[in-house]
Amino acid sequence: MTTTGSGSTYDPPADPVHRATAAPAPNDGPPPRTDRRVALVTGASSGIGAATARRLAAGGWQLLLSGRDRRRLEETAAGTSAVMLPADLAAPDGPRLLAQAALRETGRIDLLVAGAGIGWAGPFLSMPHTDIDRVLALDLNATLHLVREVLPSMVAAGHGRVVFIGSVAGVVGVREEAVYSAAKAGLAAFAEALRQELLGTGVGVTLVVPGPVDTGFFARRGRPYHRSRPRPTSPDRVAATVWEAVTEAREEAYIPGWLTLPNRVRALTPRLYRRLLNRFG
């Protein structure tokens, strides 16, 4: 079973990007400008994306919200001036069309929070090939293509930040979440490489690595969360960490902080690390 990381079970519209508000035609002149900082948040229908959007709105950001569930996007946008851009990022032109629609709205993107994703749980040998493709398409490929579309405007402006929502699964590799782990590990490696390429451009890269988060993600991926540790944290806590990372220009943040330990143990004592992983992973 696959589900969106935002908790959506909505079938995407035929068009990769559906507008929820009126927009000027491309030939109507230059895009509107705003003095407010602009954040594009994907996976904003619910969960971490919705909580992050609400935190950014409280901080005065102009929001562009994307997700596949229009009704839930409306709930996230309620009480704010957010513009909804429902989109299917897994569609071939989804990332490009979303970036174009976002830039038409405000003429700038100062912050991209890439939170869209799906999950799948179960033995890799029983995972259908179509689900392998779906997880990699949205959790990794679509994110890379969206960043590729958004970055030129940030680099041209001389400032901006890209925030990736990773996972502890991408750090340790979680049993029976092999493809999801691979996608999140790839995202972490991409964030590090991109950070090096963007040195001196004024554009920063942040990787936020939460452990389990108390959303509907686990139930909808096909298996509820059943481990005693780490205990699930709240999406609001993750959103607060994203806010702090953006305001402090941090490159990496783990939630909870002790999740940095597995990497340290692996570096110092690989054999002990794998024994622990075999027992608890």
Side-chain angles (χ1 to χ4, degrees):
M1 177 184 296
T2 60
T3 64
T4 62
S6 62
S8 170
T9 56
Y10 174 76
D11 291 327
D15 295 333
V17 174
H18 256 236
R19 297 194 36 76
T21 56
N27 296 325
D28 282 351
R33 300 287 169 173
T34 176
D35 293 331
R36 297 171 65 191
R37 296 171 298 176
V38 177
L40 171 60
V41 182
T42 68
S45 300
S46 63
I48 294 172
T52 299
R54 289 190 291 266
R55 183 62 187 87
L56 291 170
W61 285 73
Q62 171 64 49
L63 297 180
L64 303 172
L65 304 181
S66 183
R68 296 202 300 176
D69 190 318
R70 182 188 300 271
R71 180 182 59 81
R72 289 185 175 182
L73 277 182
E74 291 172 351
E75 293 173 358
T76 302
T80 75
S81 60
V83 175
M84 295 179 294
L85 298 172
D88 178 17
L89 289 176
D93 283 339
R96 179 179 62 83
L97 295 176
L98 174 59
Q100 290 178 350
L103 289 169
R104 277 200 306 268
E105 281 294 337
T106 56
R108 61 189 279 187
I109 298 173
D110 302 295
L111 172 66
L112 169 62
V113 180
I118 57 176
W120 194 95
F124 179 67
L125 288 179
S126 67
M127 187 174 186
H129 289 277
T130 53
D131 286 328
I132 294 174
D133 291 340
R134 287 192 188 103
V135 172
L136 293 176
L138 187 57
D139 291 13
L140 186 59
N141 291 355
T143 300
L144 268 58
H145 284 290
L146 181 60
V147 172
R148 177 63 181 84
E149 295 293 338
V150 169
L151 267 183
S153 65
M154 290 185 176
V155 172
H159 72 272
R161 181 160 295 272
V162 178
V163 175
F164 298 104
I165 305 299
S167 170
V168 67
V171 177
V172 301
V174 175
R175 181 184 303 140
E176 298 194 349
E177 294 183 48
V179 177
Y180 179 75
S181 297
K184 291 299 185 179
L187 199 63
F190 174 66
E192 186 61 54
L194 187 64
R195 186 180 296 120
Q196 299 305 314
E197 289 191 27
L198 293 174
L199 287 174
T201 66
V203 180
V205 176
T206 297
L207 176 67
V208 175
V209 183
V213 183
D214 188 14
T215 68
F217 175 76
F218 291 103
R220 284 186 293 265
R221 71 174 183 176
R223 179 181 299 173
Y225 184 75
H226 63 276
R227 301 175 187 270
S228 58
R229 288 185 178 275
R231 295 180 179 177
T233 191
S234 71
D236 287 339
R237 182 179 178 188
V238 180
T241 301
V242 172
W243 172 262
E244 292 167 2
V246 170
T247 55
E248 298 171 9
R250 292 165 59 184
E251 296 180 342
E252 210 167 53
Y254 285 74
I255 314 157
W258 65 262
L259 286 180
T260 59
L261 288 176
N263 269 340
R264 298 177 187 178
V265 174
R266 178 167 52 185
L268 295 172
T269 57
R271 295 180 67 181
L272 173 61
Y273 168 81
R274 287 191 172 83
R275 285 202 299 270
L276 293 172
L277 194 62
N278 290 339
R279 181 177 179 185
F280 301 108

